[in-house]
Amino acid sequence: MSYNFDEIVDRSNNYAAKFQEAELHYGTNNVIPLWIADMDFRTAPCIVEAIKQRADQGIFGYTWRTPKYFEAIAAWQQKRNGWLPDIAKMAFAPGVVPGMRMILTMFTQPGDKVLIQQPVYHPFADVVNNTGRQLVVSPLKRDENGYYTMDLEDFEAKAKDGAKYFILCNPHNPVGRCWTREELKQVGDICVKYGVEILSDEIHSDLMLDGHKHTCMASVSPEIAAITTTCIAPSKTFNLAGLQSSTIVFNDEAKKDAYVAELKRMDIARNNCFSLVATMEAYNHGEDWLEELLVYLSDNMRFIRSFCAERLPELKPNTPEATYLNWVDARALGMDDDTLKKFCVEKAGVAFGEGPDFGFGGSGFLRLNAACPRSVIEKALTQMEQAVHSR
Ligand SMILES: Cc1ncc(COP(=O)(O)O)c(C=O)c1O
């Protein structure tokens, strides 16, 4: 490996949410933080270098995106996923979640139904509820091996019942599914049939484990592309979430124009100067770093599974196909969710993402962020093992 993902980088004193915001959620910062979804790895050296060069200029004025910016993003999608987004339909967003919120606000009415599939990344429910739209949940199905699939019968019944949008998590946080083309076609065809627009959140789509291949929802068929708006970003892939830049690929140019006009009215249409160079550098030159990262992450998932199988069978990690998140079944501990949280934090000194936050089907589960050096995961699981076995 050319890049050292085993390196421990001290983030405890750099305003990192993972370390310094833990107190707000867990009552202490004195925990191994495996919760919020960013990585403890330094990003690709070429990105650090590009940011340093930009900083060295010493001028941090207003920015202007040249065509090179969206061209780099489109070329990356074509190369990695075989999908060439239309630049005329691409727009900047200061984040995927704010972008989603704007889309729901602009293109639906208060009270309109919006479908999501839980358990899922909790801001999906929040954006629907906070914009006064009606949340409709179609639960995912889980088999005895912890493998999740879509419940298409349930989904169709709810789509038919007047849903205006479906927010798809592709690939899926937290259950780690890399949806197959066939699965996407089935759910997409239901949306086409009932006129439900699709908002496909593909922020984790570069994080494919063990050779899985991502399918962009907008590439599945022309009919599905016509109703699909896609959200992408370099933030998860290259650990750039603090730079706040994402991209929305609209299904319709007029919609994109209306959205951009609204961004301008809000005066949030510009990248910050660092996100501009970091995004282009990532997509133009970051691929070899990403390939090594994916090997390291896949090995971390194997490490977690073998550790738990041998030493901590009360925790049942899953086998994610994508993302750096492991969805761990902790129900064998026999604790309710509040007790489980308290136990992990106070007895084991570990902060996991809490299952119930992800909605229906989340109770009894923990989300483990595996994007950290293996030694950190080993320490956290060893502390869990000691706490569990000394109960
Ligand atoms: C599925 C998903 N969408 C969106 C986000 C956040 O995106 P942003 O920070 O660009 O709003 C996350 C972060 O964890 C995520 O997992």
Side-chain angles (χ1 to χ4, degrees), residues 11 14-18 36-39 43 51 92-95 203 233-246 271-276 278-279 324:
R11 302 181 69 199
N14 77 346
Y15 306 99
K18 203 179 202 174
I36 199 169
D38 70 16
M39 306 199 279
T43 189
I51 291 173
F92 166 78
I203 195 168
S235 45
K236 300 289 161 200
T237 318
F238 293 99
N239 213 16
L240 304 176
L243 294 182
Q244 298 181 303
S245 97
S246 313
N271 289 74
N272 72 59
C273 59
F274 295 114
S275 76
L276 208 65
T279 300
Y324 47 65

PDB file of all heavy atoms in Angstrom, residues 11 14-18 36-39 43 51 92-95 203 233-246 271-276 278-279 324:
ATOM      1  N   ARG A  11      -7.318  14.042  16.147  1.00  0.00           N
ATOM      2  CA  ARG A  11      -8.374  14.978  15.725  1.00  0.00           C
ATOM      3  C   ARG A  11      -9.069  15.604  16.932  1.00  0.00           C
ATOM      4  O   ARG A  11     -10.064  16.303  16.777  1.00  0.00           O
ATOM      5  CB  ARG A  11      -9.452  14.241  14.911  1.00  0.00           C
ATOM      6  CG  ARG A  11      -8.954  13.536  13.681  1.00  0.00           C
ATOM      7  CD  ARG A  11     -10.116  12.871  12.953  1.00  0.00           C
ATOM      8  NE  ARG A  11     -11.006  13.842  12.353  1.00  0.00           N
ATOM      9  CZ  ARG A  11     -12.271  13.582  11.984  1.00  0.00           C
ATOM     10  NH1 ARG A  11     -12.768  12.365  12.164  1.00  0.00           N
ATOM     11  NH2 ARG A  11     -13.032  14.512  11.448  1.00  0.00           N
ATOM     12  N   ASN A  14      -9.263  19.630  16.867  1.00  0.00           N
ATOM     13  CA  ASN A  14      -9.357  20.429  15.633  1.00  0.00           C
ATOM     14  C   ASN A  14     -10.809  20.714  15.241  1.00  0.00           C
ATOM     15  O   ASN A  14     -11.129  20.804  14.076  1.00  0.00           O
ATOM     16  CB  ASN A  14      -8.571  19.779  14.484  1.00  0.00           C
ATOM     17  CG  ASN A  14      -9.311  18.600  13.880  1.00  0.00           C
ATOM     18  OD1 ASN A  14     -10.280  18.113  14.467  1.00  0.00           O
ATOM     19  ND2 ASN A  14      -8.881  18.145  12.722  1.00  0.00           N
ATOM     20  N   TYR A  15     -11.640  20.854  16.250  1.00  0.00           N
ATOM     21  CA  TYR A  15     -13.062  21.154  16.031  1.00  0.00           C
ATOM     22  C   TYR A  15     -13.760  20.052  15.239  1.00  0.00           C
ATOM     23  O   TYR A  15     -14.695  20.319  14.495  1.00  0.00           O
ATOM     24  CB  TYR A  15     -13.244  22.519  15.337  1.00  0.00           C
ATOM     25  CG  TYR A  15     -12.541  23.637  16.069  1.00  0.00           C
ATOM     26  CD1 TYR A  15     -11.297  24.097  15.667  1.00  0.00           C
ATOM     27  CD2 TYR A  15     -13.121  24.199  17.210  1.00  0.00           C
ATOM     28  CE1 TYR A  15     -10.630  25.084  16.368  1.00  0.00           C
ATOM     29  CE2 TYR A  15     -12.453  25.187  17.919  1.00  0.00           C
ATOM     30  CZ  TYR A  15     -11.223  25.628  17.489  1.00  0.00           C
ATOM     31  OH  TYR A  15     -10.565  26.610  18.187  1.00  0.00           O
ATOM     32  N   ALA A  16     -13.321  18.813  15.401  1.00  0.00           N
ATOM     33  CA  ALA A  16     -13.959  17.689  14.711  1.00  0.00           C
ATOM     34  C   ALA A  16     -15.222  17.296  15.477  1.00  0.00           C
ATOM     35  O   ALA A  16     -15.158  16.999  16.675  1.00  0.00           O
ATOM     36  CB  ALA A  16     -12.999  16.510  14.630  1.00  0.00           C
ATOM     37  N   ALA A  17     -16.352  17.266  14.777  1.00  0.00           N
ATOM     38  CA  ALA A  17     -17.623  16.911  15.424  1.00  0.00           C
ATOM     39  C   ALA A  17     -17.524  15.550  16.101  1.00  0.00           C
ATOM     40  O   ALA A  17     -18.005  15.358  17.225  1.00  0.00           O
ATOM     41  CB  ALA A  17     -18.739  16.888  14.380  1.00  0.00           C
ATOM     42  N   LYS A  18     -16.881  14.618  15.424  1.00  0.00           N
ATOM     43  CA  LYS A  18     -16.813  13.243  15.921  1.00  0.00           C
ATOM     44  C   LYS A  18     -16.232  13.188  17.340  1.00  0.00           C
ATOM     45  O   LYS A  18     -16.646  12.385  18.165  1.00  0.00           O
ATOM     46  CB  LYS A  18     -15.914  12.456  14.971  1.00  0.00           C
ATOM     47  CG  LYS A  18     -16.134  10.970  14.975  1.00  0.00           C
ATOM     48  CD  LYS A  18     -15.171  10.392  13.943  1.00  0.00           C
ATOM     49  CE  LYS A  18     -15.609   9.054  13.451  1.00  0.00           C
ATOM     50  NZ  LYS A  18     -14.737   8.601  12.347  1.00  0.00           N
ATOM     51  N   ILE A  36     -20.583   9.562  14.062  1.00  0.00           N
ATOM     52  CA  ILE A  36     -20.879  10.367  12.862  1.00  0.00           C
ATOM     53  C   ILE A  36     -20.049   9.880  11.656  1.00  0.00           C
ATOM     54  O   ILE A  36     -18.913   9.412  11.821  1.00  0.00           O
ATOM     55  CB  ILE A  36     -20.624  11.871  13.151  1.00  0.00           C
ATOM     56  CG1 ILE A  36     -21.330  12.773  12.145  1.00  0.00           C
ATOM     57  CG2 ILE A  36     -19.142  12.174  13.231  1.00  0.00           C
ATOM     58  CD1 ILE A  36     -21.335  14.256  12.549  1.00  0.00           C
ATOM     59  N   ALA A  37     -20.626  10.025  10.456  1.00  0.00           N
ATOM     60  CA  ALA A  37     -20.023   9.414   9.268  1.00  0.00           C
ATOM     61  C   ALA A  37     -18.985  10.313   8.606  1.00  0.00           C
ATOM     62  O   ALA A  37     -19.217  10.898   7.538  1.00  0.00           O
ATOM     63  CB  ALA A  37     -21.114   9.021   8.277  1.00  0.00           C
ATOM     64  N   ASP A  38     -17.821  10.454   9.246  1.00  0.00           N
ATOM     65  CA  ASP A  38     -16.637  10.896   8.514  1.00  0.00           C
ATOM     66  C   ASP A  38     -15.489   9.966   8.860  1.00  0.00           C
ATOM     67  O   ASP A  38     -15.635   9.069   9.682  1.00  0.00           O
ATOM     68  CB  ASP A  38     -16.322  12.399   8.710  1.00  0.00           C
ATOM     69  CG  ASP A  38     -15.843  12.759  10.094  1.00  0.00           C
ATOM     70  OD1 ASP A  38     -15.445  11.868  10.862  1.00  0.00           O
ATOM     71  OD2 ASP A  38     -15.852  13.964  10.420  1.00  0.00           O
ATOM     72  N   MET A  39     -14.356  10.157   8.195  1.00  0.00           N
ATOM     73  CA  MET A  39     -13.261   9.191   8.339  1.00  0.00           C
ATOM     74  C   MET A  39     -12.131   9.783   9.171  1.00  0.00           C
ATOM     75  O   MET A  39     -11.911  10.990   9.165  1.00  0.00           O
ATOM     76  CB  MET A  39     -12.724   8.798   6.958  1.00  0.00           C
ATOM     77  CG  MET A  39     -13.796   8.289   6.008  1.00  0.00           C
ATOM     78  SD  MET A  39     -13.157   7.330   4.618  1.00  0.00           S
ATOM     79  CE  MET A  39     -12.645   8.617   3.494  1.00  0.00           C
ATOM     80  N   THR A  43      -7.043  12.714   3.863  1.00  0.00           N
ATOM     81  CA  THR A  43      -7.476  12.543   2.487  1.00  0.00           C
ATOM     82  C   THR A  43      -6.260  12.308   1.574  1.00  0.00           C
ATOM     83  O   THR A  43      -5.112  12.276   2.032  1.00  0.00           O
ATOM     84  CB  THR A  43      -8.306  13.757   2.012  1.00  0.00           C
ATOM     85  OG1 THR A  43      -8.877  13.429   0.737  1.00  0.00           O
ATOM     86  CG2 THR A  43      -7.467  15.019   1.868  1.00  0.00           C
ATOM     87  N   ILE A  51      -4.999  22.094  -1.798  1.00  0.00           N
ATOM     88  CA  ILE A  51      -5.547  23.062  -0.825  1.00  0.00           C
ATOM     89  C   ILE A  51      -4.421  23.958  -0.286  1.00  0.00           C
ATOM     90  O   ILE A  51      -4.595  25.177  -0.139  1.00  0.00           O
ATOM     91  CB  ILE A  51      -6.275  22.319   0.307  1.00  0.00           C
ATOM     92  CG1 ILE A  51      -7.550  21.659  -0.234  1.00  0.00           C
ATOM     93  CG2 ILE A  51      -6.613  23.258   1.455  1.00  0.00           C
ATOM     94  CD1 ILE A  51      -8.271  20.755   0.748  1.00  0.00           C
ATOM     95  N   PHE A  92     -24.770  23.092  -8.025  1.00  0.00           N
ATOM     96  CA  PHE A  92     -24.051  23.015  -6.756  1.00  0.00           C
ATOM     97  C   PHE A  92     -25.055  22.954  -5.603  1.00  0.00           C
ATOM     98  O   PHE A  92     -26.144  23.512  -5.669  1.00  0.00           O
ATOM     99  CB  PHE A  92     -23.181  24.278  -6.615  1.00  0.00           C
ATOM    100  CG  PHE A  92     -22.646  24.514  -5.244  1.00  0.00           C
ATOM    101  CD1 PHE A  92     -21.550  23.800  -4.781  1.00  0.00           C
ATOM    102  CD2 PHE A  92     -23.237  25.456  -4.394  1.00  0.00           C
ATOM    103  CE1 PHE A  92     -21.047  24.013  -3.496  1.00  0.00           C
ATOM    104  CE2 PHE A  92     -22.743  25.672  -3.112  1.00  0.00           C
ATOM    105  CZ  PHE A  92     -21.649  24.952  -2.669  1.00  0.00           C
ATOM    106  N   ALA A  93     -24.670  22.263  -4.526  1.00  0.00           N
ATOM    107  CA  ALA A  93     -25.429  22.349  -3.262  1.00  0.00           C
ATOM    108  C   ALA A  93     -24.419  22.413  -2.133  1.00  0.00           C
ATOM    109  O   ALA A  93     -23.384  21.750  -2.196  1.00  0.00           O
ATOM    110  CB  ALA A  93     -26.338  21.139  -3.088  1.00  0.00           C
ATOM    111  N   PRO A  94     -24.711  23.193  -1.108  1.00  0.00           N
ATOM    112  CA  PRO A  94     -23.767  23.277   0.013  1.00  0.00           C
ATOM    113  C   PRO A  94     -23.733  21.984   0.830  1.00  0.00           C
ATOM    114  O   PRO A  94     -22.917  21.834   1.733  1.00  0.00           O
ATOM    115  CB  PRO A  94     -24.288  24.452   0.849  1.00  0.00           C
ATOM    116  CG  PRO A  94     -25.698  24.661   0.411  1.00  0.00           C
ATOM    117  CD  PRO A  94     -25.836  24.114  -0.974  1.00  0.00           C
ATOM    118  N   GLY A  95     -24.593  21.046   0.502  1.00  0.00           N
ATOM    119  CA  GLY A  95     -24.632  19.745   1.163  1.00  0.00           C
ATOM    120  C   GLY A  95     -25.770  18.968   0.546  1.00  0.00           C
ATOM    121  O   GLY A  95     -26.694  19.567  -0.041  1.00  0.00           O
ATOM    122  N   ILE A 203     -24.542   9.609  -2.236  1.00  0.00           N
ATOM    123  CA  ILE A 203     -23.339  10.178  -1.600  1.00  0.00           C
ATOM    124  C   ILE A 203     -22.312   9.100  -1.245  1.00  0.00           C
ATOM    125  O   ILE A 203     -21.115   9.370  -1.213  1.00  0.00           O
ATOM    126  CB  ILE A 203     -23.734  11.018  -0.349  1.00  0.00           C
ATOM    127  CG1 ILE A 203     -22.577  11.911   0.099  1.00  0.00           C
ATOM    128  CG2 ILE A 203     -24.184  10.150   0.799  1.00  0.00           C
ATOM    129  CD1 ILE A 203     -22.972  12.963   1.139  1.00  0.00           C
ATOM    130  N   ALA A 233     -21.509  13.630  -4.100  1.00  0.00           N
ATOM    131  CA  ALA A 233     -20.559  14.520  -3.412  1.00  0.00           C
ATOM    132  C   ALA A 233     -19.237  13.790  -3.222  1.00  0.00           C
ATOM    133  O   ALA A 233     -19.219  12.564  -3.125  1.00  0.00           O
ATOM    134  CB  ALA A 233     -21.124  14.922  -2.053  1.00  0.00           C
ATOM    135  N   PRO A 234     -18.134  14.562  -3.121  1.00  0.00           N
ATOM    136  CA  PRO A 234     -16.850  13.922  -2.796  1.00  0.00           C
ATOM    137  C   PRO A 234     -16.649  13.807  -1.285  1.00  0.00           C
ATOM    138  O   PRO A 234     -15.614  13.355  -0.828  1.00  0.00           O
ATOM    139  CB  PRO A 234     -15.831  14.891  -3.403  1.00  0.00           C
ATOM    140  CG  PRO A 234     -16.487  16.228  -3.293  1.00  0.00           C
ATOM    141  CD  PRO A 234     -17.974  15.986  -3.410  1.00  0.00           C
ATOM    142  N   SER A 235     -17.647  14.228  -0.510  1.00  0.00           N
ATOM    143  CA  SER A 235     -17.425  14.404   0.930  1.00  0.00           C
ATOM    144  C   SER A 235     -17.187  13.103   1.688  1.00  0.00           C
ATOM    145  O   SER A 235     -16.306  13.032   2.536  1.00  0.00           O
ATOM    146  CB  SER A 235     -18.585  15.191   1.547  1.00  0.00           C
ATOM    147  OG  SER A 235     -19.815  14.712   1.083  1.00  0.00           O
ATOM    148  N   LYS A 236     -17.969  12.054   1.392  1.00  0.00           N
ATOM    149  CA  LYS A 236     -17.728  10.766   2.070  1.00  0.00           C
ATOM    150  C   LYS A 236     -16.486  10.121   1.480  1.00  0.00           C
ATOM    151  O   LYS A 236     -15.606   9.665   2.197  1.00  0.00           O
ATOM    152  CB  LYS A 236     -18.910   9.813   1.881  1.00  0.00           C
ATOM    153  CG  LYS A 236     -20.222  10.315   2.418  1.00  0.00           C
ATOM    154  CD  LYS A 236     -20.253  10.327   3.920  1.00  0.00           C
ATOM    155  CE  LYS A 236     -21.368  11.252   4.384  1.00  0.00           C
ATOM    156  NZ  LYS A 236     -21.255  11.714   5.736  1.00  0.00           N
ATOM    157  N   THR A 237     -16.417  10.074   0.145  1.00  0.00           N
ATOM    158  CA  THR A 237     -15.345   9.375  -0.562  1.00  0.00           C
ATOM    159  C   THR A 237     -13.964   9.850  -0.136  1.00  0.00           C
ATOM    160  O   THR A 237     -13.068   9.053   0.112  1.00  0.00           O
ATOM    161  CB  THR A 237     -15.480   9.647  -2.078  1.00  0.00           C
ATOM    162  OG1 THR A 237     -16.844   9.565  -2.449  1.00  0.00           O
ATOM    163  CG2 THR A 237     -14.647   8.688  -2.876  1.00  0.00           C
ATOM    164  N   PHE A 238     -13.798  11.184  -0.092  1.00  0.00           N
ATOM    165  CA  PHE A 238     -12.459  11.739   0.137  1.00  0.00           C
ATOM    166  C   PHE A 238     -12.359  12.462   1.484  1.00  0.00           C
ATOM    167  O   PHE A 238     -11.408  13.200   1.716  1.00  0.00           O
ATOM    168  CB  PHE A 238     -12.086  12.680  -1.015  1.00  0.00           C
ATOM    169  CG  PHE A 238     -11.906  11.966  -2.334  1.00  0.00           C
ATOM    170  CD1 PHE A 238     -12.923  11.961  -3.282  1.00  0.00           C
ATOM    171  CD2 PHE A 238     -10.741  11.262  -2.610  1.00  0.00           C
ATOM    172  CE1 PHE A 238     -12.768  11.290  -4.499  1.00  0.00           C
ATOM    173  CE2 PHE A 238     -10.572  10.595  -3.821  1.00  0.00           C
ATOM    174  CZ  PHE A 238     -11.583  10.598  -4.758  1.00  0.00           C
ATOM    175  N   ASN A 239     -13.331  12.252   2.343  1.00  0.00           N
ATOM    176  CA  ASN A 239     -13.311  12.862   3.681  1.00  0.00           C
ATOM    177  C   ASN A 239     -13.262  14.390   3.623  1.00  0.00           C
ATOM    178  O   ASN A 239     -12.442  15.022   4.296  1.00  0.00           O
ATOM    179  CB  ASN A 239     -12.110  12.319   4.487  1.00  0.00           C
ATOM    180  CG  ASN A 239     -12.446  12.229   5.962  1.00  0.00           C
ATOM    181  OD1 ASN A 239     -13.608  12.285   6.358  1.00  0.00           O
ATOM    182  ND2 ASN A 239     -11.431  12.078   6.796  1.00  0.00           N
ATOM    183  N   LEU A 240     -14.166  14.964   2.838  1.00  0.00           N
ATOM    184  CA  LEU A 240     -14.174  16.414   2.634  1.00  0.00           C
ATOM    185  C   LEU A 240     -15.460  17.063   3.157  1.00  0.00           C
ATOM    186  O   LEU A 240     -15.812  18.164   2.732  1.00  0.00           O
ATOM    187  CB  LEU A 240     -14.026  16.736   1.135  1.00  0.00           C
ATOM    188  CG  LEU A 240     -12.804  16.158   0.410  1.00  0.00           C
ATOM    189  CD1 LEU A 240     -12.850  16.486  -1.083  1.00  0.00           C
ATOM    190  CD2 LEU A 240     -11.509  16.684   1.017  1.00  0.00           C
ATOM    191  N   ALA A 241     -16.164  16.380   4.061  1.00  0.00           N
ATOM    192  CA  ALA A 241     -17.473  16.897   4.476  1.00  0.00           C
ATOM    193  C   ALA A 241     -17.389  18.318   5.043  1.00  0.00           C
ATOM    194  O   ALA A 241     -18.309  19.120   4.869  1.00  0.00           O
ATOM    195  CB  ALA A 241     -18.120  15.954   5.490  1.00  0.00           C
ATOM    196  N   GLY A 242     -16.275  18.639   5.688  1.00  0.00           N
ATOM    197  CA  GLY A 242     -16.120  19.976   6.262  1.00  0.00           C
ATOM    198  C   GLY A 242     -15.965  21.069   5.217  1.00  0.00           C
ATOM    199  O   GLY A 242     -16.005  22.251   5.549  1.00  0.00           O
ATOM    200  N   LEU A 243     -15.778  20.694   3.963  1.00  0.00           N
ATOM    201  CA  LEU A 243     -15.672  21.709   2.900  1.00  0.00           C
ATOM    202  C   LEU A 243     -17.029  22.027   2.269  1.00  0.00           C
ATOM    203  O   LEU A 243     -17.158  22.991   1.514  1.00  0.00           O
ATOM    204  CB  LEU A 243     -14.688  21.256   1.813  1.00  0.00           C
ATOM    205  CG  LEU A 243     -13.233  21.137   2.265  1.00  0.00           C
ATOM    206  CD1 LEU A 243     -12.353  20.740   1.093  1.00  0.00           C
ATOM    207  CD2 LEU A 243     -12.727  22.449   2.852  1.00  0.00           C
ATOM    208  N   GLN A 244     -18.000  21.180   2.549  1.00  0.00           N
ATOM    209  CA  GLN A 244     -19.391  21.456   2.179  1.00  0.00           C
ATOM    210  C   GLN A 244     -19.613  21.769   0.708  1.00  0.00           C
ATOM    211  O   GLN A 244     -19.947  22.896   0.332  1.00  0.00           O
ATOM    212  CB  GLN A 244     -19.939  22.582   3.058  1.00  0.00           C
ATOM    213  CG  GLN A 244     -19.933  22.144   4.511  1.00  0.00           C
ATOM    214  CD  GLN A 244     -20.470  23.189   5.450  1.00  0.00           C
ATOM    215  OE1 GLN A 244     -19.961  24.303   5.493  1.00  0.00           O
ATOM    216  NE2 GLN A 244     -21.485  22.836   6.194  1.00  0.00           N
ATOM    217  N   SER A 245     -19.388  20.753  -0.115  1.00  0.00           N
ATOM    218  CA  SER A 245     -19.814  20.951  -1.504  1.00  0.00           C
ATOM    219  C   SER A 245     -20.336  19.646  -2.091  1.00  0.00           C
ATOM    220  O   SER A 245     -19.699  18.603  -1.984  1.00  0.00           O
ATOM    221  CB  SER A 245     -18.681  21.531  -2.341  1.00  0.00           C
ATOM    222  OG  SER A 245     -18.000  20.556  -3.031  1.00  0.00           O
ATOM    223  N   SER A 246     -21.513  19.724  -2.657  1.00  0.00           N
ATOM    224  CA  SER A 246     -22.176  18.561  -3.246  1.00  0.00           C
ATOM    225  C   SER A 246     -22.733  18.979  -4.602  1.00  0.00           C
ATOM    226  O   SER A 246     -22.752  20.163  -4.939  1.00  0.00           O
ATOM    227  CB  SER A 246     -23.354  18.113  -2.378  1.00  0.00           C
ATOM    228  OG  SER A 246     -22.956  18.059  -1.043  1.00  0.00           O
ATOM    229  N   ASN A 271     -19.219  27.998  -4.282  1.00  0.00           N
ATOM    230  CA  ASN A 271     -18.344  27.122  -3.495  1.00  0.00           C
ATOM    231  C   ASN A 271     -17.456  27.994  -2.615  1.00  0.00           C
ATOM    232  O   ASN A 271     -17.127  29.113  -2.988  1.00  0.00           O
ATOM    233  CB  ASN A 271     -17.357  26.369  -4.399  1.00  0.00           C
ATOM    234  CG  ASN A 271     -17.997  25.309  -5.223  1.00  0.00           C
ATOM    235  OD1 ASN A 271     -18.676  25.611  -6.186  1.00  0.00           O
ATOM    236  ND2 ASN A 271     -17.759  24.064  -4.876  1.00  0.00           N
ATOM    237  N   ASN A 272     -16.995  27.441  -1.484  1.00  0.00           N
ATOM    238  CA  ASN A 272     -15.878  28.134  -0.841  1.00  0.00           C
ATOM    239  C   ASN A 272     -14.624  27.792  -1.656  1.00  0.00           C
ATOM    240  O   ASN A 272     -14.591  26.804  -2.406  1.00  0.00           O
ATOM    241  CB  ASN A 272     -15.765  27.801   0.652  1.00  0.00           C
ATOM    242  CG  ASN A 272     -15.262  26.408   0.912  1.00  0.00           C
ATOM    243  OD1 ASN A 272     -14.158  26.048   0.488  1.00  0.00           O
ATOM    244  ND2 ASN A 272     -16.051  25.619   1.594  1.00  0.00           N
ATOM    245  N   CYS A 273     -13.601  28.604  -1.511  1.00  0.00           N
ATOM    246  CA  CYS A 273     -12.457  28.479  -2.441  1.00  0.00           C
ATOM    247  C   CYS A 273     -11.740  27.139  -2.290  1.00  0.00           C
ATOM    248  O   CYS A 273     -11.173  26.628  -3.253  1.00  0.00           O
ATOM    249  CB  CYS A 273     -11.495  29.647  -2.257  1.00  0.00           C
ATOM    250  SG  CYS A 273     -10.848  29.763  -0.606  1.00  0.00           S
ATOM    251  N   PHE A 274     -11.782  26.545  -1.105  1.00  0.00           N
ATOM    252  CA  PHE A 274     -11.078  25.272  -0.917  1.00  0.00           C
ATOM    253  C   PHE A 274     -11.870  24.098  -1.497  1.00  0.00           C
ATOM    254  O   PHE A 274     -11.299  23.157  -2.033  1.00  0.00           O
ATOM    255  CB  PHE A 274     -10.766  25.039   0.564  1.00  0.00           C
ATOM    256  CG  PHE A 274      -9.812  26.056   1.116  1.00  0.00           C
ATOM    257  CD1 PHE A 274     -10.211  26.958   2.088  1.00  0.00           C
ATOM    258  CD2 PHE A 274      -8.519  26.148   0.623  1.00  0.00           C
ATOM    259  CE1 PHE A 274      -9.338  27.908   2.568  1.00  0.00           C
ATOM    260  CE2 PHE A 274      -7.630  27.103   1.090  1.00  0.00           C
ATOM    261  CZ  PHE A 274      -8.042  27.994   2.075  1.00  0.00           C
ATOM    262  N   SER A 275     -13.187  24.167  -1.386  1.00  0.00           N
ATOM    263  CA  SER A 275     -13.982  23.042  -1.912  1.00  0.00           C
ATOM    264  C   SER A 275     -13.862  22.964  -3.431  1.00  0.00           C
ATOM    265  O   SER A 275     -13.907  21.884  -4.021  1.00  0.00           O
ATOM    266  CB  SER A 275     -15.453  23.149  -1.491  1.00  0.00           C
ATOM    267  OG  SER A 275     -16.140  24.115  -2.242  1.00  0.00           O
ATOM    268  N   LEU A 276     -13.691  24.107  -4.028  1.00  0.00           N
ATOM    269  CA  LEU A 276     -13.564  24.144  -5.493  1.00  0.00           C
ATOM    270  C   LEU A 276     -12.328  23.364  -5.956  1.00  0.00           C
ATOM    271  O   LEU A 276     -12.415  22.446  -6.779  1.00  0.00           O
ATOM    272  CB  LEU A 276     -13.440  25.616  -5.900  1.00  0.00           C
ATOM    273  CG  LEU A 276     -13.906  26.047  -7.247  1.00  0.00           C
ATOM    274  CD1 LEU A 276     -15.385  25.880  -7.396  1.00  0.00           C
ATOM    275  CD2 LEU A 276     -13.573  27.519  -7.443  1.00  0.00           C
ATOM    276  N   ALA A 278     -10.471  21.327  -4.119  1.00  0.00           N
ATOM    277  CA  ALA A 278     -10.427  19.966  -3.557  1.00  0.00           C
ATOM    278  C   ALA A 278     -11.299  19.023  -4.381  1.00  0.00           C
ATOM    279  O   ALA A 278     -10.919  17.886  -4.673  1.00  0.00           O
ATOM    280  CB  ALA A 278     -10.896  19.992  -2.105  1.00  0.00           C
ATOM    281  N   THR A 279     -12.478  19.485  -4.776  1.00  0.00           N
ATOM    282  CA  THR A 279     -13.391  18.641  -5.551  1.00  0.00           C
ATOM    283  C   THR A 279     -12.762  18.266  -6.891  1.00  0.00           C
ATOM    284  O   THR A 279     -12.762  17.096  -7.295  1.00  0.00           O
ATOM    285  CB  THR A 279     -14.731  19.378  -5.777  1.00  0.00           C
ATOM    286  OG1 THR A 279     -15.303  19.656  -4.510  1.00  0.00           O
ATOM    287  CG2 THR A 279     -15.698  18.563  -6.607  1.00  0.00           C
ATOM    288  N   TYR A 324     -18.812   2.825   4.584  1.00  0.00           N
ATOM    289  CA  TYR A 324     -17.858   2.395   5.632  1.00  0.00           C
ATOM    290  C   TYR A 324     -18.561   2.166   6.960  1.00  0.00           C
ATOM    291  O   TYR A 324     -17.966   2.259   8.016  1.00  0.00           O
ATOM    292  CB  TYR A 324     -16.680   3.368   5.761  1.00  0.00           C
ATOM    293  CG  TYR A 324     -17.016   4.849   5.823  1.00  0.00           C
ATOM    294  CD1 TYR A 324     -17.730   5.406   6.881  1.00  0.00           C
ATOM    295  CD2 TYR A 324     -16.560   5.703   4.821  1.00  0.00           C
ATOM    296  CE1 TYR A 324     -17.990   6.766   6.948  1.00  0.00           C
ATOM    297  CE2 TYR A 324     -16.821   7.069   4.868  1.00  0.00           C
ATOM    298  CZ  TYR A 324     -17.540   7.593   5.935  1.00  0.00           C
ATOM    299  OH  TYR A 324     -17.800   8.939   5.997  1.00  0.00           O
TER     300      TYR A 324
END
